[in-house]
Amino acid sequence: MAIIQSIEVCVARVPLDKVTYLANRTVTDRHYGLVKVRSADGVEGIGFCYVGNQAGEIFRVAVEQLLAPVLIGRDSLAVEGLWKDMYQESLLQGRMGTVMRALSALDIALWDLNARTANLPLHKYLGAVELDTVPAYASGGYYVDGKTAEQLGEEMAGFVELGFKAVKMKTGRLSPSGEEARVRAAREAIGDDVELMLDCNNGWVDTVQAMEYLRRMEPFHPYFIEEPFSPDDVESHARLAKLTRIPVATAEIGYGRWYHKQLLDMGAAAILQTDAAVCGGITEFKRIAAMAAGYGIQMCPHWFHDVHAPLVAATPNARYVEFFWDDQVLNFRRLVDRQLEHKDGRVILHQTPGLGFNFDEKQVEKYGRWTTVA
C-alpha cells in the first residue's frame, strides 16, 4: 500500500520573454498549476498542467477544496477508483476547464508516485512500446512583431539542422495570401522530406473561411491542420475533413473520453492531440488512446513533452511527441530541474523512476507559493 499523506499545490505565473501571438489572441505570461502528492512512505509524485494566463488561482481552489480531500488517506495504487471519485466529486463544478485540469495534474502525480514507488521509469511502468527514444516534432513558428516569412523559414530550417524531421508552425492570423507566403517559405526552407504541421489555434469560424486558406496550403503538403475551429464545433471539423486533403488534427483542449468519442464517431479528426494534463490525466489519456486505436486513429499529444514523451513511448498508436526546444514558448521548462534531450529527431527518455525529474524549487519560488493539504 502507498497511503496518500499530504498534497501540496502551487500556481506559478511565469512571464514570457517576448510577447507571442496566436491566430486570435496575445500571450504575455503563462500560469501553471503544480501539485506534489506524498505517501506515508515518504515517496513524492509530481503533477502539473497549464491554466491559461488569467485566474490561475481557480486551480488552487479546485485542488484544496474539491479534489485533495478525496485523495488524502487513500491508497495511491487505486488509481482508477481515485479518478472515478474525483470526477464524481467535481460533477457540478468541473467535467472540463480548470477543475478537470486540476484532476489531471493530480492523476499525473499519482502515476508518478506509483512508478517511483515501484522504482521504474514511467514509460516502463505503463508498459513500454519504445524503451529509449520517441519520435518528436519541433514546435514553433509563432507570430512575433516584425517577423517575416523568410525569418519563419529560417526558424523552421534551424529545427531541421538540429536533427528534427518534422516541424510545426502557426497559421491563420494573416490573410490567405499572407499565410500562403509563410507556408511556402517554411516548405522551401525545410525541403520536401520534412513533415510540416500547421496550427491554427481555433482561428477560423467556418469551413468557407477555412478552405480559403487550405486551398492555398494544400500544394505544400502539410502533415496536418491543427485546431481550425472552436473545439466544441465538432460539426465543422467533420465537414472540413471531407473538403480538404490535409488531415485534420484536434482535441488538445478536449475533456474526457466522451468528447473524444464524438470526434471519432463523426470523423472529425484524423489525428488526436489529446493532452494528458487537460483531458483527465494519464488514466483518461490511456482510455482515449485505446479507443482511438479501435478507430485506426493516431495520437500526437499536445504541449508538455515532459509527460507526453513517456506516454508516447507506452502508446502503440502514438506517432509523435510535440517538443519545445527552448523556454520561449513553453516556459514551464524553467520550473523543472532536468530537461529532456533529443537526438536525430527523437526525444531521449528519462530512465530514472517516475517522470524522471522534479520541480526546481528555487525557480518555483520566484513565480508562486506552495500550500499544503494534509
Side-chain angles (χ1 to χ4, degrees):
M1 296 178 67
I3 301 301
I4 299 167
Q5 186 175 61
S6 65
I7 294 171
E8 294 182 61
V9 56
C10 175
V11 178
R13 301 167 186 81
V14 187
L16 292 173
D17 291 341
K18 296 180 180 179
V19 175
T20 60
Y21 303 94
L22 308 180
N24 57 3
R25 61 189 183 275
T26 302
V27 181
T28 58
D29 62 359
R30 299 191 185 277
H31 296 188
Y32 298 104
L34 315 178
V35 294
K36 294 187 286 189
V37 178
R38 177 175 289 270
S39 74
D41 297 327
V43 182
E44 189 173 87
I46 65 171
F48 42 86
C49 69
Y50 175 52
V51 286
N53 58 356
Q54 299 289 339
E57 284 297 317
I58 297 172
F59 175 88
R60 188 191 304 274
V61 172
V63 172
E64 289 183 343
Q65 299 184 25
L66 196 63
L67 301 174
V70 175
L71 302 181
I72 298 295
R74 305 279 295 276
D75 188 336
S76 69
L77 290 171
V79 178
E80 290 280 356
L82 295 174
W83 194 98
K84 178 177 68 69
D85 291 346
M86 284 193 291
Y87 184 80
Q88 188 69 28
E89 186 66 24
S90 64
L91 284 179
L92 298 183
Q93 297 87 352
R95 305 203 304 277
M96 59 181 61
T98 301
V99 174
M100 184 60 106
R101 291 178 185 236
L103 187 158
S104 300
L106 288 166
D107 183 81
I108 291 168
L110 290 173
W111 282 97
D112 184 40
L113 169 61
N114 292 337
R116 292 183 193 229
T117 301
N119 201 33
L120 287 172
L122 180 60
H123 64 288
K124 293 182 179 179
Y125 183 74
L126 290 167
V129 179
E130 301 280 0
L131 294 173
D132 302 308
T133 66
V134 291
Y137 68 82
S139 195
Y142 281 71
Y143 299 93
V144 178
D145 285 336
K147 186 176 184 179
T148 65
E150 290 70 23
Q151 289 171 328
L152 168 69
E154 292 169 3
E155 178 188 354
M156 297 294 104
F159 291 142
V160 176
E161 291 174 5
L162 291 170
F164 291 97
K165 300 173 178 62
V167 298
K168 189 170 82 175
M169 57 175 279
K170 298 299 179 183
T171 195
R173 185 178 181 88
L174 307 183
S175 67
S177 62
E179 291 299 341
E180 179 184 6
R182 295 176 74 252
V183 176
R184 181 191 301 276
R187 175 54 76 195
E188 290 177 351
I190 65 177
D192 293 334
D193 295 329
V194 174
E195 290 179 327
L196 176 63
M197 291 84 161
L198 306 178
D199 184 0
C200 192
N201 285 115
N202 323 116
W204 299 326
V205 297
D206 55 40
T207 55
V208 174
Q209 182 190 24
M211 288 306 298
E212 290 184 31
Y213 287 85
L214 296 184
R215 288 190 189 96
R216 293 171 178 264
M217 297 173 180
E218 285 175 346
F220 304 107
H221 307 292
Y223 184 71
F224 60 61
I225 177 66
E226 175 177 342
E227 279 202 313
F229 309 112
S230 166
D232 296 323
D233 189 358
V234 178
E235 290 275 2
S236 289
H237 283 87
R239 285 196 298 271
L240 185 64
K242 296 176 181 178
L243 292 171
T244 179
R245 300 195 304 270
I246 304 173
V248 174
T250 191
E252 72 173 56
I253 46 178
Y255 299 91
R257 75 201 85 132
W258 301 280
Y259 170 78
H260 288 78
K261 186 176 187 304
Q262 183 183 10
L263 289 173
L264 295 170
D265 285 343
M266 295 182 64
I271 296 165
L272 290 182
Q273 296 177 295
T274 310
D275 188 331
V278 172
C279 73
I282 293 172
T283 300
E284 192 73 346
F285 181 94
K286 283 162 51 66
R287 296 179 183 132
I288 292 165
M291 178 173 62
Y295 287 77
I297 297 295
Q298 68 176 239
M299 308 292 290
C300 291
H302 160 261
W303 206 230
F304 291 105
H305 52 247
D306 304 277
V307 68
H308 290 131
L311 290 186
V312 167
T315 303
N317 58 318
R319 175 75 192 280
Y320 281 117
V321 62
E322 181 174 17
F323 188 79
F324 291 85
W325 187 74
D326 59 26
D327 66 358
Q328 296 305 295
V329 174
L330 182 57
N331 54 9
F332 176 77
R333 290 173 66 100
R334 302 178 191 178
L335 302 179
V336 299
D337 64 359
R338 185 182 181 192
Q339 305 297 329
L340 284 164
E341 303 295 335
H342 66 90
K343 183 178 181 181
D344 298 329
R346 297 179 70 89
V347 168
I348 301 169
L349 298 164
H350 294 317
Q351 299 298 333
T352 46
L355 287 165
F357 61 90
N358 293 297
F359 296 127
D360 183 332
E361 296 295 350
K362 290 184 179 180
Q363 290 296 314
V364 172
E365 287 176 5
K366 294 180 181 179
Y367 306 113
R369 62 181 177 85
W370 290 103
T371 54
T372 303
V373 182

